[in-house]
Structures are given as C-alpha cells and as structure tokens.
Amino acid sequence: MVLSEPYWDHHIPLPKLGPLHSRLVTAFVALICFINSYDGDFVFDDSEAIINNKDLNPDTPLSNIWKNDFWGSNLSSNSSHKSYRPLTVLTFRINYLLAGGLHPIGFHMLNVALHCVISVLMIDVFAILIGGPVQDGRGAKLSLSPKASFLAALFFAAHPVHTESVAGIVGRADLLCALFFQLSFLVYCKAFQGGDKKFSVLWIFGSILLCAVAMLCKEQGITVLGVNAAYDILMVCNLNICELAHQLLSRRKSADIGGLVRSGLLMRLALLFLGGSFLLYARWRIMGTGPPSFTEVDNPASFAENVILRIVNYNYYYSLNAWLLLCPWWLCFDWSMGCVPLIKSATDWRIFWPLLLWCCLMGLVYQALCSQDSNKRRTLTFGLVLLVIPFLPASNLFFRVGFVIAERVLYLSSAGYCLILAYAVGYCSCHWKKHKVHYNVGKNLADRGNQSAAVKYYREAVRLHPKYVHAMNNLGNILKEKNELKEAEVLLSAAVHIQPDFAAAWMNLGIVQNSLKKFDEAEQSYWNAIRFRKKYPDCYYNLGRLYADLNRSIDALNAWRNATMLKPDHSLAWNNMVILLDNTGNLAQAELIGKEALKILPKDHTIMFSLANVLGKQEKYKESEGFFLNALKINPNVASCHGNLAVLYHRWGKLDLAKRHYELSLRLDPSAPGTRENYSMLKRKLEQRQRTVG
C-alpha cells in the first residue's frame, strides 16, 4: 500500500483542526442544517410506512416485520412493493414505543441524529479514500488529508439534496443503510492493519455481515461490496488501471497475475463476490413472487417501446440527478405524474444534457485513470466509485424502479460528489498560484530519486512564493542529504519562523543543527517538534541520537524508549538502545532490551546482530551463535555479521568455523575494519597448532 500526503490538502482554505474538533464542527453543521425539521408532521410516504403500518403497533407480533415489506404488506402478496427493510421498521417501532404513540418529534430527532453521526463518520471514510488508513505506533488513526476529509464531510453534512432523507421520516431507510454502509467499509479497511501483504479474513467476513445489515435497512446496502473491492484494488494493491490495461493489451508482464494471487487480492475479491451472491440470492428468495410491478405513471421511460428512447430518457434522468447534486435548486418530494416529460424526438433540446453529462464523466474518468499524479488519480477514482456504485440500484440498468427521480437515493452517492468537490477546491486553491506547479514537479522528481533536478524546481517554488514552507522543508531535506548543511539550516529556520507549528520542519532543523554540532539548538528544535506533535516517534529517535552524541546515555535511552512506546516496531530505536547499553557495559540490560525487541520484530536481522554481540561478550556462545545464524539466514550478505560470528568462533575455540566466516566476510568486504587483522591472527594460531601436532 503506497501512501503519501496529498500535496493540495494544506492549501484548502480551512483552519487545521484536531480530530475531535473537526468532528464536533461537522456534527454541528449537520445539526444546524436539518434541526428545523424536528417539529414536522408525518407527511407524504410517512402515512403509509408509519401511520397505516400495523407493524409499528406493539400489539402486532414482532415477527411480522420479518414477513412484511416496508409498508406493512405481506411479501407474498402480488401488491407488495417488495421493499424488505425490517431493521428500519424496527426503529420505527422503537420510536413508537418510546413516545407512547405516533408522535413525530421523536422520529424526526432520530433522523437528524443519524445524519450527524453519518456526517462525522464520513471524515474517516474520506480520510482513508484520500490518504489511506494510516496509524501511529499505538494503533491510533492518523490522517494524511485532515483538511480535505474535513471539507468533504462538511459538504456532505450540509448538502440540501439530503432534505428528503433527513426531513422525511421514511428517509430513515437511507440513513440507516448509509450508516452500516460506512461501518462495513471501515471494517473492511481494518482487515489490512497487519500490513500490505497480510489481511484478516475475520474482518472481511465482518464487513460482509455489516453489508447484510445495511441491506436489511435498504437494498442499496449491497453496493458497499463494490466500494470495498475498488478500495482493495486501487488502495491496498495500488494497481494503476491504465498501466495494467496497457500491459494486458500489449501482452507484457503476464507474471503480474501471480503477484495478485500472492497478495491475496483474488481471494478477497472471491470472498466479496461469494458473499454478495449469497445476499442477493437470499434477497430474491425473500421477495417470493418475483420483482414488484410498477405502472407507467411511476416510471414512464421504462415503458417506452423503443429501446433507444428508453436509453435516452434514462440518461436524461441521470443528468437531472447530477444537476441536483451540483445545484440543488428544484428539490421535490415526488417527480412522478408527468413532472419530467419524456424525450420523444432527436430535436428535443434536452438531449444536450445527457451529452454534457457523459462528456464531463469521461473527462473525470480519464483524469482518474490516466493522470500521472497518484493523489489526483486516487481521489478522483474513489470519488467516481462512491458517486456511481451506490446509484446503480436506482439506475434502471438491472431492473425497473418505481420512480423517475428520487432525491433520497442520492444520499450515499452525494458522498462521491462531495469528495470530488473537495478535491476541486484543493486543486484550485493551490494551482491558482504558479509556485505550486514547480513544487509538484520537484516532488515528483524527488520521489523518483532525481534529487539534483528536484532542487531546481523547489528553489523556483520558493522564489515565486517566499513563504511556501513545504517547499522549504523538502528543499532543506535534499540539501541536508547532499551535506549542504548551512543552506539547509537557513531554509528550515525560515520555514519554522513562518509556520511555528510545523513539526516536521522543526525535526529536520534539529537533524541539521546536530550535524553542525549546534547541540543546544538541535535539542530545542527537537523539543519544539514534539511540542507541536505529541506522538512523534521519529523525533524521539533523533533526540536520542543527539543525547548519545553528547554522552547523555540515560536521556538517550529514555528518548528511544519513548519512540518504541509510540511506535513499537521502531527498529532503529530498539537497536540503538541495545548498542548503547552494550557500549556502556550494561550487558544484562542490553540482553533484556534485545529480546524484548525481537518479540515485536522477530525477523529484524539488525537487532539479532546486536543481541548476538551482547551475548558473545557474556560468553553465552551457543545462544549468540543462534542469533548470528538467524540474522544471516535473513540477510546472508552482511560482511560485519560474518566477521563478528568469526570472532565468536575464534573466542569459542571453533577455529575452522572462524576461518570460514572470516573468509566470507573478506569476500563480501575486503576492507572490513579489523577483520583482516583478526584473520591473520587466526591463521598464525592455526599454523602454530599444526606445527605442534606435527
């Protein structure tokens, strides 16, 4: 899984809020936008689904909700609408019980509360889709796109097209379906917490189970499996669809299929397909007598005799839905009864709108699949996935639906629109300024390893925009690697002066100051970084290196211990603790730390190497030999490992084995320090032993 911070996120014109505050603001916006519906009455479809629905009455057996449709009719009846939503009806029944009757305020307040919760969860969904599922060492979620995900969630919370779903009580079905849709997606993402090549089948089954729950709220819930599959392909496996298509067409890299099998993608897709097939089969069996029957009044286009006319009118309906997302000016609770006249002629000017829609969609698809910018490609692709896939059940593609346009079916699809809109805001915010282009080119060049060319573009970005702190930070990092420390210090100092809470720049400044032997300034820079980012394991690691350079061993150990507490798999911090304790003669403690580290990182050959050295000094030769050999199994071409194992055998008296590993070490690194001298001593000892035997 390749993750990177979207370059456009920090240009979005929003304050940078913490996770809690962004959630509170999003919930507040959702509440303010729809709270005025709290004292509404039962209206429109509420009369059939609630007032006249006997399944809400506590005197009716609870089991009836599993036998009847959303409107209270038996599913086996030919007049049934076949809308099987028992969990939604159950919440209506609970509202009825709590209120002691049909009092609409409780029904409305629960709808508003659900919309607030869904809007807040959208922050997590958008953060994962834009930047990936990032976590710190303790498993807490981090966001690489805090502003973008926050803005998209705000758009979702306030979008007027949600009026029917939130203000209309029967919209509860869409709200509950959306809630479990989100939970199913988030649970699917948790299946990959063990790393890119590991996944939990248990979490995948949990996601499918939550999909089933979403379907019991509204049929649209099945579409989450399509979103999960897209996430797996595009984010987890990081497949570039455009490149893959080109490879398949040119018949190159056929071995990539084997890589997909090894990654587990095909197995996961098979699980999603089988789970979805089972749910669809179960849903079909529940319908009993087949699909519902609708009249021409409900959906005139589906009754058009000419296939071309049906296709044209369906596409016109799609364009009207798109317009409602873009400009929700004509909201209406019922679009039937001739509200949208059919297009019957090629001269009807309304044909222009479907053409415009498909031109825009094709443009978005091209950018989503073929852009060289991976962040742009990922964000637009997931935006389109969320926009299109949840809408498919209402598209008339698979079966006839009982409406012309229904704003409630856009509740989930609007999330995709909001994601694309947030990207557009971020993109425009940064590309209206010339410096951004140079920054992007510089970043792409740096990512490809062309540091010298990247420096040129970063310098131009800083020249055009002297307060562009991210360009300063990246340029300072490259100059640091090129050992141009003085200029790097100037740039990084300027960056933190412009943006004092820029934690990464503070840490990088500390590294440069440490290299310049400005130890006091470096220490202060590291502490500034930690002050602005409390959980910063890499900064604690670098602080420990500073203390080690100053022979402040206790402080160094404490800093590295903090790094491993925040990020338990911080290999460098563990290894440095072992080495420092070894160098200061605390061999027993070094052994304990090394073994503790290997419980967390059992395949880390560098820690094995350091621990083996410690055990050798304690004359625990057999145990030391085991760690050396394990380290060499993982990485057999490390000259120092062969050299130190040879020293161990030399001390242990296993001279032939010592000779073999000295020779292996010298073959890998003829200039290995001390190895040639030790090898010469061993050869003299072997010659002396041979003379003695002779």
Side-chain angles (χ1 to χ4, degrees):
M1 194 182 298
V2 179
L3 306 176
S4 60
E5 181 180 356
Y7 62 84
W8 44 273
D9 183 79
H10 58 272
H11 286 279
I12 289 176
L14 279 178
K16 189 175 181 180
L17 301 180
L20 176 61
H21 290 112
S22 62
R23 283 160 173 74
L24 289 174
V25 171
T26 302
F28 180 74
V29 169
L31 181 68
I32 289 299
C33 288
F34 293 97
I35 192 62
N36 62 336
S37 67
Y38 83 97
D39 60 349
D41 206 340
F42 295 112
V43 293
F44 312 131
D45 288 342
D46 296 345
S47 59
E48 291 299 319
I50 298 171
I51 296 174
N52 299 329
N53 191 342
K54 294 179 181 178
D55 290 341
L56 271 65
N57 194 315
D59 297 330
T60 304
L62 185 60
S63 60
N64 278 22
I65 68 171
W66 303 99
K67 302 174 185 176
N68 296 339
D69 66 15
F70 186 53
W71 315 96
S73 300
N74 193 288
L75 282 164
S76 61
S77 168
N78 290 330
S79 62
S80 170
H81 199 275
K82 308 298 183 184
S83 300
Y84 187 63
R85 303 165 188 174
L87 294 186
T88 303
V89 177
L90 180 61
T91 65
F92 292 155
R93 185 165 174 142
I94 292 170
N95 270 131
Y96 186 102
L97 282 169
L98 292 177
L102 291 172
H103 303 294
I105 187 169
F107 289 82
H108 283 296
M109 288 307 297
L110 182 54
N111 272 26
V112 174
L114 283 170
H115 178 61
C116 292
V117 171
I118 293 163
S119 299
V120 168
L121 280 176
M122 277 298 174
I123 295 178
D124 295 320
V125 172
F126 290 138
I128 290 173
L129 294 178
I130 298 170
V134 185
Q135 295 178 328
D136 63 16
R138 292 182 174 179
K141 287 182 287 190
L142 298 176
S143 176
L144 292 178
S145 56
K147 289 188 176 182
S149 54
F150 177 38
L151 179 62
L154 287 178
F155 285 148
F156 181 86
H159 203 299
V161 83
H162 299 155
T163 301
E164 183 181 8
S165 296
V166 182
I169 297 172
V170 292
R172 176 85 55 83
D174 301 277
L175 298 171
L176 288 171
C177 175
L179 177 62
F180 289 105
F181 182 106
Q182 291 175 311
L183 294 176
S184 175
F185 173 74
L186 294 172
V187 165
Y188 191 81
C189 294
K190 287 183 73 69
F192 305 97
Q193 284 185 338
D196 294 355
K197 296 182 180 179
K198 300 177 184 177
F199 63 93
S200 167
V201 174
L202 188 63
W203 284 113
I204 293 175
F205 278 119
S207 175
I208 295 172
L209 179 62
L210 284 166
C211 171
V213 175
M215 284 185 70
L216 292 174
C217 299
K218 189 174 181 179
E219 299 77 4
Q220 196 178 14
I222 188 70
T223 59
V224 70
L225 298 182
V227 175
N228 290 348
Y231 169 81
D232 203 333
I233 294 167
L234 299 170
M235 181 70 81
V236 177
C237 296
N238 196 37
L239 287 182
N240 185 322
I241 303 299
C242 197
E243 287 183 4
L244 183 62
H246 178 70
Q247 290 166 9
L248 291 174
L249 290 173
S250 58
R251 298 182 181 179
R252 289 189 291 111
K253 296 190 177 181
S254 58
D256 285 353
I257 301 299
L260 297 181
V261 175
R262 288 190 296 274
S263 72
L265 172 64
L266 298 184
M267 177 185 173
R268 296 191 297 271
L269 293 181
L271 288 174
L272 292 175
F273 176 77
L274 292 173
S277 299
F278 173 77
L279 293 177
L280 287 173
Y281 174 73
R283 180 68 180 81
W284 183 259
R285 290 298 301 268
I286 287 169
M287 283 201 304
T289 58
S293 58
F294 297 109
T295 65
E296 187 172 353
V297 174
D298 297 318
N299 186 354
S302 66
F303 287 87
E305 294 181 4
N306 189 311
V307 175
I308 302 298
L309 281 181
R310 283 206 298 270
I311 293 172
V312 169
N313 280 282
Y314 286 159
N315 279 273
Y316 180 57
Y317 294 167
Y318 304 157
S319 66
L320 289 177
N321 278 284
W323 181 250
L324 289 174
L325 289 174
L326 186 65
C327 183
W329 188 255
W330 342 304
L331 297 179
C332 181
F333 74 93
D334 187 358
W335 292 78
S336 62
M337 298 299 215
C339 284
V340 183
L342 288 180
I343 295 175
K344 297 180 179 180
S345 166
T347 59
D348 193 319
W349 68 272
R350 291 177 296 166
I351 288 179
F352 168 77
W353 296 115
L355 294 175
L356 179 60
L357 171 68
W358 281 106
C359 287
C360 294
L361 282 176
M362 289 301 102
L364 280 173
V365 169
Y366 177 79
Q367 290 296 318
L369 297 181
C370 302
S371 173
Q372 296 301 308
D373 183 339
S374 60
N375 284 308
K376 179 181 183 180
R377 195 167 60 239
R378 181 170 64 238
T379 306
L380 290 181
T381 301
F382 282 127
L384 287 168
V385 164
L386 265 184
L387 179 69
V388 173
I389 291 180
F391 183 74
L392 289 176
S395 65
N396 286 290
L397 289 176
F398 305 109
F399 45 81
R400 178 182 290 157
V401 298
F403 51 82
V404 176
I405 294 172
E407 292 151 21
R408 58 187 178 275
V409 303
L410 295 175
Y411 190 78
L412 272 170
S413 291
S414 67
Y417 168 74
C418 293
L419 179 55
I420 294 171
L421 184 58
Y423 171 78
V425 171
Y427 181 88
C428 292
S429 296
C430 64
H431 282 75
W432 281 336
K433 301 175 183 178
K434 281 187 177 180
H435 69 267
K436 194 63 204 176
V437 176
H438 295 281
Y439 174 83
N440 291 342
V441 175
K443 190 174 186 303
N444 286 330
L445 288 168
D447 290 343
R448 295 174 187 173
N450 193 345
Q451 307 284 11
S452 298
V455 166
K456 171 187 171 185
Y457 285 96
Y458 280 138
R459 288 192 193 281
E460 184 64 10
V462 174
R463 186 188 71 80
L464 290 168
H465 187 64
K467 293 187 177 182
Y468 194 2
V469 292
H470 289 272
M472 292 176 181
N473 180 58
N474 290 4
L475 177 57
N477 272 336
I478 294 177
L479 294 175
K480 175 187 70 180
E481 298 301 323
K482 293 163 70 77
N483 208 35
E484 297 177 25
L485 300 175
K486 288 290 186 182
E487 186 180 359
E489 183 185 23
V490 171
L491 281 164
L492 292 166
S493 297
V496 296
H497 178 74
I498 295 165
Q499 185 178 326
D501 64 346
F502 195 173
W506 276 116
M507 184 187 74
N508 292 327
L509 178 59
I511 295 171
V512 170
Q513 290 168 333
N514 193 1
S515 300
L516 290 169
K517 310 298 182 187
K518 298 181 178 181
F519 299 122
D520 291 339
E521 291 99 320
E523 181 180 10
Q524 186 57 52
S525 294
Y526 287 139
W527 282 116
N528 283 337
I530 292 167
R531 178 158 61 95
F532 293 117
R533 189 187 297 179
K534 305 296 183 188
K535 298 176 180 180
Y536 206 170
D538 288 340
C539 193
Y540 277 111
Y541 165 73
N542 285 303
L543 180 62
R545 290 182 59 190
L546 169 66
Y547 288 144
D549 290 342
L550 296 173
N551 294 318
R552 292 166 58 179
S553 300
I554 301 298
D555 290 333
L557 289 171
N558 287 335
W560 288 328
R561 174 57 79 177
N562 282 333
T564 58
M565 288 174 66
L566 292 170
K567 187 181 180 184
D569 60 349
H570 203 302
S571 171
L572 292 173
W574 284 114
N575 199 41
N576 278 17
M577 281 195 281
V578 176
I579 293 170
L580 180 58
L581 290 167
D582 180 3
N583 292 341
T584 54
N586 295 300
L587 298 179
Q589 191 178 355
E591 179 183 349
L592 289 174
I593 293 292
K595 290 180 177 177
E596 181 186 351
L598 287 176
K599 288 179 183 177
I600 299 168
L601 298 162
K603 300 293 184 182
D604 194 304
H605 65 89
T606 59
I607 297 174
M608 290 178 187
F609 172 74
S610 300
L611 179 57
N613 288 331
V614 170
L615 293 167
K617 290 180 182 179
Q618 297 179 86
E619 299 184 357
K620 297 180 180 180
Y621 296 133
K622 188 66 180 174
E623 194 176 358
S624 175
E625 178 194 30
F627 283 112
F628 274 129
L629 292 175
N630 284 337
L632 287 169
K633 278 182 186 177
I634 297 168
N635 193 344
N637 297 319
V638 179
S640 59
C641 198
H642 284 288
N644 285 24
L645 178 56
V647 172
L648 177 77
Y649 285 136
H650 199 158
R651 291 177 182 168
W652 200 355
K654 298 188 176 186
L655 302 185
D656 292 333
L657 287 171
K659 179 175 181 292
R660 177 188 168 209
H661 284 280
Y662 276 136
E663 290 170 351
L664 285 170
S665 177
L666 289 169
R667 194 180 308 155
L668 291 166
D669 183 8
S671 62
T675 303
R676 191 165 295 281
E677 291 79 2
N678 289 335
Y679 182 49
S680 299
M681 289 172 57
L682 176 67
K683 286 202 295 185
R684 287 196 297 271
K685 193 170 185 177
L686 287 170
E687 289 168 0
Q688 184 180 1
R689 185 178 70 175
Q690 197 169 13
R691 283 196 300 270
T692 302
V693 172

